[in-house]
Amino acid sequence: MDESETTEKLNLDDLNEVIFVSGGEAGVDFDDIEVWPSQISAQEHGIDWIHSFSPIRKTRRVPLPTKSQIASCMGTWSQSTREVQSIAKAFQLAYKYGILAGKWLINAPSLTIDRLWERIVECENRKWQAKVSTRKAGENTHVMCVYTENFMDLEDVFKCESDLRDLGFKGRLAYKPDVFTYLNIYRGNEFGIRPTIYVSQYCLLEKRSRIDIEPSVKSAIENALKGTDSDYLNEAT
């Protein structure tokens, strides 16, 4: 029997943060379904994600850009020439339009996802929010997204990674800025941009992790924070 099949129902009254689901259809009685990613069906319940807010943040969630900010960012990007559509340009637009949130991505099988999600939900001192995908027909894997406010704030991003390691996550972690999602930068994208900008690998022998950052990412962040561009960025503005 799967570990998920023996998991007790999550008691929301015992938690210090708010949990909610997104994509739920009208008429679904959430009291009758278990709030576990392996137990909620995207097809049957119409729920794609389970969310958990931070228990200690005053605003409880990472700030979201407005529709106007997103539209302006996407519009400027789409009007740029292919030569200009680079990671440096994406970061420049992210900084200009305030689309700075990002997330650590954790992939896990259905067999273990419930216990991993429980670690996230029951962490009382975290200031980050998180979400996890529900069960999809024909798939046995899930993804958890753990958010930080500013992907250019390396201290905060790396602190979040350290917190996740302290919770027992020993697998590969990859970080993706939200601006990449809005600009349609996914795996195998037409722009030739890697969709994740930080990758963390944990060494069991050394009992510590290592975060790899490509030089192009570092320089793009530095230029965006200085408000300066490389010579070719201004071609699209």
Side-chain angles (χ1 to χ4, degrees):
M1 179 178 292
D2 286 354
E3 178 182 353
S4 60
E5 294 177 351
T6 62
T7 302
E8 296 180 0
K9 184 173 181 178
L10 187 60
N11 187 349
L12 303 187
D13 294 333
D14 291 341
L15 302 177
N16 296 317
E17 56 279 312
V18 175
I19 292 181
F20 71 100
V21 294
S22 63
E25 298 178 348
V28 174
D29 186 352
F30 298 122
D31 290 333
D32 293 335
I33 61 176
E34 295 181 346
V35 189
W36 293 104
S38 72
Q39 300 299 316
I40 297 181
S41 167
Q43 287 73 28
E44 178 182 352
H45 301 113
I47 298 169
D48 297 317
W49 297 95
I50 306 171
H51 303 249
S52 178
F53 290 155
S54 164
I56 61 175
R57 282 176 50 85
K58 291 182 179 179
T59 58
R60 301 194 65 81
R61 67 163 67 193
V62 171
L64 297 175
T66 65
K67 292 182 179 179
S68 176
Q69 289 173 306
I70 295 172
S72 297
C73 179
M74 294 174 63
T76 304
W77 177 263
S78 64
Q79 294 171 11
S80 304
T81 63
R82 182 58 57 85
E83 291 75 17
V84 176
Q85 289 174 326
S86 64
I87 190 170
K89 184 64 179 178
F91 284 13
Q92 178 203 23
L93 295 178
Y95 187 76
K96 179 178 181 179
Y97 295 112
I99 307 176
L100 297 174
K103 61 268 189 183
W104 284 105
L105 305 173
I106 305 170
N107 294 289
S110 297
L111 182 64
T112 60
I113 190 64
D114 291 343
R115 289 303 182 191
L116 296 179
W117 177 241
E118 185 178 26
R119 295 179 190 176
I120 294 291
V121 170
E122 293 189 346
C123 181
E124 298 180 355
N125 298 319
R126 61 181 172 87
K127 72 174 185 177
W128 25 267
Q129 72 181 68
K131 69 179 182 180
V132 61
S133 63
T134 56
R135 189 178 75 250
K136 305 292 191 300
E139 299 181 10
N140 62 357
T141 59
H142 301 251
V143 60
M144 285 189 291
C145 304
V146 180
Y147 286 85
T148 69
E149 288 192 26
N150 187 343
F151 70 87
M152 298 185 191
D153 184 347
L154 297 187
E155 182 178 356
D156 186 52
V157 170
F158 294 172
K159 174 62 167 59
C160 180
E161 184 269 352
S162 177
D163 290 343
L164 291 172
R165 296 304 187 188
D166 289 342
L167 289 177
F169 292 95
K170 305 304 182 186
R172 179 182 182 273
L173 307 178
Y175 189 98
K176 181 178 181 178
D178 280 4
V179 68
F180 280 7
T181 300
Y182 296 125
L183 299 182
N184 202 33
I185 298 175
Y186 294 93
R187 183 180 302 176
N189 63 83
E190 60 183 303
F191 314 110
I193 299 175
R194 192 173 77 173
T196 55
I197 58 176
Y198 314 127
V199 175
S200 171
Q201 302 281 4
Y202 189 84
C203 178
L204 292 175
L205 293 178
E206 299 179 3
K207 296 183 179 180
R208 64 184 180 92
S209 59
R210 173 182 176 180
I211 301 176
D212 293 325
I213 312 175
E214 292 186 353
S216 60
V217 172
K218 290 183 178 180
S219 62
I221 290 176
E222 291 173 357
N223 286 333
L225 292 177
K226 292 177 182 177
T228 59
D229 313 322
S230 54
D231 294 337
Y232 60 84
L233 285 180
N234 287 322
E235 295 178 17
T237 60

